[in-house]
């Protein structure tokens, strides 16, 4: 039993919150500040929102003795990253009316809107509600957006597997009705007992929790970076069940050696929906009961599993489930990629994956993405899917509509950006970082595109421009762009400085390692120049850059 005074402050806030209500309603009404009360800042995350401020304007505001320019980021819950055309149209208008207008596709296949003022939160969420979208549990110490291999091309059972994302998301939703009461002005339940939550109880999980489903051979979701990783086992075009892995997570803290990235460990196989859902549920209850609530840096499931040991964790899981997991079934990942351009599924429908650099859907000098997607949505003949690499798929397009949809994509420059961007650019991922992320130490999405232009020049020197080397950048070691799973990872340490990580593979099965610390741009380019030179001369057959680094033991 942990003494109450050892628990982190967030634990007290959760249990005292009356089902995540806290004083959010009062905080919202306070017109003297653009912020909400401190305790409510922890609670609002469970409703899919973060309080932020414009970091570019902190100094100026402080000089003028004004409070920081507070606003909120809202993240939608979108299991498997799917949206109808109607929902896209609605979201387009909501983004224009209430946020900065940029529609941001995240690395977990959902959408974030930034810059929403406190007084706009309710109108925003009410508008989302009219198009059947919500942000419940998109953040906070609960299960987050469930991701799933994006492209239906991957498998004949894609739809069946994709539906699991929705089922898991529903199963792991908190029972509290607070969201409906606070944001949508719905009446409180007469019978509060309906809110009793056997999974989360009143303490929720010790930390965020992430679940993903991959359909081999494509590990486009980086499945092993999740707390729970499901690998669909498909034999003769039939879904047989899932291998279940647990304990993935990538966040670390500079200078804290007890934090580390970890890939999920495969525990076994479940052959039915009932067993799969039960196993996920009980992994969550073990984490609820055994996760560290005294130190948030040690609270993720990966640390719980390592403290318990994989064997004891599995035994506990099987005891709670009341059945044993079968031995894991064989599977093979041969790719981790988005299929840019058109592909056709075996029902005859077409899918166009458009490259959206760093996931920012906006109209800029290269292409009018927002206009294009709006016009396409207006046909109401397509759906939208988001990839875990921050790209967008115009999906479920019939043969007869394909030429028309293509002409819209072409007219606004989306086809040109998608087809003409280099392989390293289309493969790259950067997290949000400045100006909204409060934890950013360095730039990421605003900087990586220009760095890539310089890296492209280096690659061109060695005739490697079409080499799909994966490069990922984050503004801090939390890992939101999954940089430790890239061949080249750049992790911000201070403004303009990055640790250079090397040696990850192309499939998301091997973590990279730190090669050099605190490099400025000129140092990054000079290191990469020498490494590309050596790689171009010494690689064996089609060996990838990451595999070459690994084989040559370039990182000690
Ligand atoms: Fe993340 C915190 C953005 C995917 C690990 N992440 C944050 C916050 C909310 C900063 C904060 O706590 O105030 C960032 C908001 C920035 C902004 O202004 O929008 C943020 N994370 C993002 C997104 C938007 C990055 C992106 O550019 O796409 C991704 C949203 C995902 C979603 O839709 O749910 C995002 N974050 C990830 C991933 C990748 C993944 O899940 O596949 C990771 C690494 C995997 C993992 O969880 O281990 C990740 N984010 C973190 C962490 C470190 C957690 C840890 O265990 O140490 C934090 C900080 C924290 O939780 O304390 C964090
Ligand atoms: Fe912010 Fe760090 Fe996540 Fe980037 S990796 S979005 S800087 S928390």
């Amino acid at each position: 039993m942990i003494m109450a005074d050892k628990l982190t402050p967030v634990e007290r806030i959760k249990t005292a919150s009356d089902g995540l209500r806290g004083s959010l309603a009062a905080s919202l009404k306070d017109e003297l500040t653009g912020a909400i009360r401190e305790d409510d800042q922890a609670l609002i995350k469970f409703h899919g929102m973060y309080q932020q401020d414009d970091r570019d304007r902190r100094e100026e505001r402080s000089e003028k003795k004004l409070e920081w320019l507070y606003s909120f980021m809202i993240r939608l819950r979108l299991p498997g990253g799917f949206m109808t055309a109607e929902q896209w149209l609605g979201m387009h208008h909501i983004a224009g009316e209430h946020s900065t207008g940029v529609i941001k596709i995240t690395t977990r296949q959902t959408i974030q809107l930034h810059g929403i003022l406190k007084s706009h939160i309710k109108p925003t969420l009410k508008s989302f509600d009219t198009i059947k979208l919500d942000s419940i549990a998109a953040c906070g110490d609960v299960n987050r957006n469930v991701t799933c291999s994006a492209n239906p091309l991957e498998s004949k059972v894609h739809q069946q597997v994709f539906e699991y994302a929705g089922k898991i998301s529903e199963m792991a939703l908190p029972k509290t009705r607070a969201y409906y009461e606070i944001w949508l002005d719905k009446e409180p339940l007469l019978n509060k007992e309906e809110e009793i939550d056997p999974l989360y109880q009143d303490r929720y999980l010790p930390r965020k929790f992430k679940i993903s489903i991959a359909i081999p051979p494509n590990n486009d979701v980086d499945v092993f970076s999740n707390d729970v990783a499901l690998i669909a086992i498909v034999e003769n075009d039939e879904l047989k069940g899932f291998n279940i892995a647990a304990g993935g997570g990538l966040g670390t803290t500079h200078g804290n050696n007890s934090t580390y990235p970890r890939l999920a460990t495969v525990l076994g196989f479940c052959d039915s929906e009932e067993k799969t859902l039960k196993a996920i549920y009980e992994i969550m209850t073990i984490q609820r009961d055994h996760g560290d609530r005294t130190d948030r840096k040690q609270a993720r499931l990966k640390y719980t599993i390592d403290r318990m040991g994989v064997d004891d964790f599995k035994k506990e899981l099987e005891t709670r489930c009341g059945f044993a997991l079968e031995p894991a079934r064989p599977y093979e990942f041969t790719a981790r990629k988005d299929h840019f351009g058109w592909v056709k599924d075996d029902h005859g429908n077409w899918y166009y994956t458009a490259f959206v650099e760093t996931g920012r859907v906006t109209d800029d000098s290269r292409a009018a993405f927002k206009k294009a997607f709006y016009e396409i949505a207006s046909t109401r003949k397509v759906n939208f899917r988001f990839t875990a690499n921050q790209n967008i798929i115009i999906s479920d397009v019939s043969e007869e509509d394909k030429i028309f949809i293509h002409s819209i994509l072409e007219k606004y420059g989306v086809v040109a950006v998608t087809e003409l961007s280099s392989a390293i650019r289309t493969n790259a991922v950067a997290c949000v970082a400045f100006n909204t992320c409060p934890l950013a130490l360095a730039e990421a999405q605003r900087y990586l595109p220009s760095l890539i232009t310089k890296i492209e020049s280096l690659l061109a020197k060695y005739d490697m421009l079409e080499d799909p080397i994966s490069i990922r950048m984050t503004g801090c070691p939390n890992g939101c762009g999954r940089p430790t799973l890239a061949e080249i990872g750049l992790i911000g340490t201070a403004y303009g400085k990055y640790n250079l990580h090397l040696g990850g593979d192309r499939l998301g099965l091997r973590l990279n390692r730190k090669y050099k610390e605190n490099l400025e741009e000129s140092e990054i380019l000079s290191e990469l120049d020498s490494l590309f030179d050596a790689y171009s001369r010494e690689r064996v057959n089609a060996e990838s850059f990451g595999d070459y680094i690994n084989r040559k033991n370039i990182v000690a």
Side-chain angles (χ1 to χ4, degrees):
M1 184 74 184
I2 301 161
M3 303 295 285
D5 63 345
K6 295 264 190 293
L7 296 175
T8 63
V10 181
E11 293 302 321
R12 177 191 55 75
I13 294 170
K14 287 186 279 191
T15 47
S17 69
D18 181 25
L20 304 176
R21 290 172 180 82
S23 53
L24 274 166
S27 266
L28 267 192
K29 285 194 189 121
D30 183 353
E31 288 175 7
L32 290 176
T33 167
I36 55 173
R37 296 174 189 173
E38 210 176 315
D39 283 8
D40 292 333
Q41 289 171 31
L43 291 178
I44 203 168
K45 295 181 186 175
F46 292 76
H47 300 262
M49 285 164 271
Y50 286 83
Q51 179 176 303
Q52 304 185 319
D53 72 285
D54 184 343
R55 294 188 61 183
D56 288 344
R57 298 187 58 188
R58 273 189 191 174
E59 215 168 307
E60 168 213 327
R61 305 276 300 182
S62 298
E63 270 167 20
K64 291 183 181 157
K65 307 245 175 316
L66 293 170
E67 78 170 9
W68 287 349
L69 193 53
Y70 292 112
S71 65
F72 293 79
M73 173 266 274
I74 296 185
R75 185 184 284 166
L76 293 176
R77 180 174 69 95
L78 230 50
F82 177 89
M83 215 182 236
T84 63
E86 209 62 56
Q87 288 172 327
W88 181 277
L89 293 175
M91 184 194 54
H92 176 104
H93 290 301
I94 294 167
E97 204 172 325
H98 300 294
S99 79
T100 59
V102 176
I103 296 167
K104 161 78 187 175
I105 306 168
T106 75
T107 52
R108 292 194 71 76
Q109 291 183 301
T110 186
I111 294 294
Q112 286 185 181
L113 300 182
H114 290 90
I116 299 165
L117 297 177
K118 191 166 81 171
S119 56
H120 284 242
I121 298 178
K122 271 174 87 161
T124 304
L125 293 181
K126 282 185 175 175
S127 302
F128 274 129
D129 186 54
T130 62
I131 48 172
K132 297 192 169 44
L133 291 175
D134 65 63
S135 63
I136 303 173
C139 328
D141 296 344
V142 282
N143 173 52
R144 306 286 186 93
N145 202 45
V146 181
T147 60
C148 173
S149 282
N151 205 315
L153 165 83
E154 300 303 345
S155 164
K156 287 194 173 149
V157 298
H158 181 273
Q159 180 61 23
Q160 206 184 339
V161 176
F162 162 80
E163 283 167 14
Y164 270 83
K167 288 176 193 166
I168 296 165
S169 176
E170 283 298 316
M171 176 186 79
L173 268 189
K175 295 274 180 287
T176 170
R177 300 281 301 168
Y179 182 92
Y180 299 94
E181 288 170 26
I182 301 170
W183 313 110
L184 307 180
D185 292 328
K186 297 275 193 291
E187 288 300 317
L189 287 176
L190 289 176
N191 179 5
K192 273 271 201 180
E193 299 223 326
E194 286 176 37
E195 275 200 351
I196 291 174
D197 198 327
L199 173 58
Y200 293 119
Q201 302 174 346
D202 65 349
R203 43 192 186 141
Y204 301 88
L205 297 180
R207 205 62 165 88
K208 56 174 65 169
F209 199 88
K210 298 181 174 178
I211 303 173
S212 178
I213 315 171
I215 309 178
N218 196 355
N219 186 20
D220 57 338
V221 286
D222 270 324
V223 75
F224 293 105
S225 65
N226 287 265
D227 295 87
V228 172
L230 298 183
I231 300 134
I233 301 298
V234 182
E235 286 164 16
N236 302 323
D237 292 335
E238 222 183 280
L239 179 65
K240 295 291 178 191
F242 295 93
N243 281 347
I244 299 198
L250 302 182
T252 64
T253 303
H254 289 313
N256 181 343
N257 290 336
S258 68
T259 62
Y260 50 84
R262 184 185 191 283
L263 297 182
T265 311
V266 177
L267 300 173
F269 173 79
C270 286
D271 66 358
S272 69
E273 178 178 324
E274 199 190 341
K275 283 187 178 168
T276 306
L277 294 181
K278 176 74 173 159
I280 297 170
Y281 186 93
E282 295 302 352
I283 291 173
M284 294 179 78
T285 66
I286 300 177
Q287 165 65 351
R288 180 196 65 205
D289 299 342
H290 292 270
D292 188 339
R293 290 177 187 264
T294 66
D295 178 359
R296 288 183 69 78
K297 300 265 179 225
Q298 290 296 311
R300 288 292 290 272
L301 178 68
K302 60 183 173 180
Y303 302 116
T304 313
I305 290 191
D306 283 345
R307 269 194 310 274
M308 291 175 78
V310 172
D311 290 345
D312 283 356
F313 181 86
K314 190 174 162 191
K315 266 189 219 141
E316 178 68 21
L317 175 62
E318 293 182 335
T319 307
R320 289 187 186 214
C321 284
F323 59 83
L325 299 182
E326 290 176 34
R329 299 260 176 110
Y331 61 93
E332 191 185 12
F333 287 113
T334 56
R336 174 183 57 175
K337 64 173 188 184
D338 290 351
H339 298 275
F340 292 105
W342 288 105
V343 295
K344 190 183 192 177
D345 73 8
D346 41 48
H347 303 290
N349 287 325
W350 287 92
Y351 300 80
Y352 187 90
T353 304
F355 168 51
V356 182
E357 193 157 29
T358 69
R360 284 168 58 82
V361 178
T362 181
D363 296 336
D364 61 28
S365 55
R366 298 159 312 148
F369 290 98
K370 246 182 118 178
K371 287 200 185 83
F373 300 148
Y374 186 77
E375 200 167 312
I376 287 172
S378 301
T379 67
R380 292 178 170 78
K381 287 179 167 176
V382 304
N383 291 309
F384 291 82
R385 294 171 197 258
F386 309 109
T387 80
N389 301 306
Q390 304 168 316
N391 295 308
I392 196 164
I393 305 175
I394 312 296
S395 80
D396 310 280
V397 181
S398 69
E399 181 77 45
E400 62 188 26
D401 294 329
K402 183 179 168 232
I403 292 176
F404 181 57
I405 299 295
H406 189 84
S407 70
I408 302 175
L409 291 166
E410 209 154 40
K411 177 170 72 176
Y412 290 107
V414 177
V415 172
V417 167
T418 302
E419 287 181 2
L420 302 178
S421 298
S422 66
I424 192 164
R425 192 178 291 279
T426 51
N427 236 346
V429 176
C431 74
V432 179
F434 284 96
N435 61 331
T436 52
C437 178
L439 308 177
L441 305 168
E443 296 279 359
Q445 73 177 11
R446 297 200 297 196
Y447 170 51
L448 185 63
S450 65
L451 181 68
I452 286 186
T453 305
K454 292 171 187 164
I455 295 175
E456 281 168 346
S457 303
L458 298 180
L459 288 169
K461 252 170 64 178
Y462 304 108
D463 205 14
M464 298 197 305
L465 206 46
E466 283 319 307
D467 199 329
I469 296 172
S470 67
I471 178 164
R472 295 175 174 183
M473 172 181 276
T474 54
C476 85
N478 281 320
C480 302
R482 298 188 291 271
T484 39
L485 278 170
E487 290 173 273
I488 302 172
L490 289 162
I491 299 179
T493 54
Y495 206 82
K497 295 200 171 177
Y498 299 84
N499 287 347
L500 174 58
H501 286 235
L502 297 172
D505 64 1
R506 282 201 181 153
L507 304 175
L509 306 178
R510 184 176 70 226
L511 292 164
N512 57 28
R513 281 164 294 151
K514 187 162 63 188
Y515 174 61
K516 294 263 164 92
E517 283 184 333
N518 290 319
L519 302 186
E520 292 175 357
E521 181 180 282
S522 57
E523 295 168 306
I524 294 168
L525 292 172
S526 145
E527 291 291 347
L528 292 181
D529 196 4
S530 327
L531 291 163
F532 290 160
D533 181 15
Y535 168 57
S536 68
R537 287 182 286 103
E538 297 169 4
R539 70 178 149 181
V540 177
N541 302 325
E543 184 177 45
S544 71
F545 181 61
D547 287 351
Y548 164 78
I549 297 281
N550 211 42
R551 176 173 61 81
K552 298 284 276 184
N553 272 328
I554 287 171
V555 187

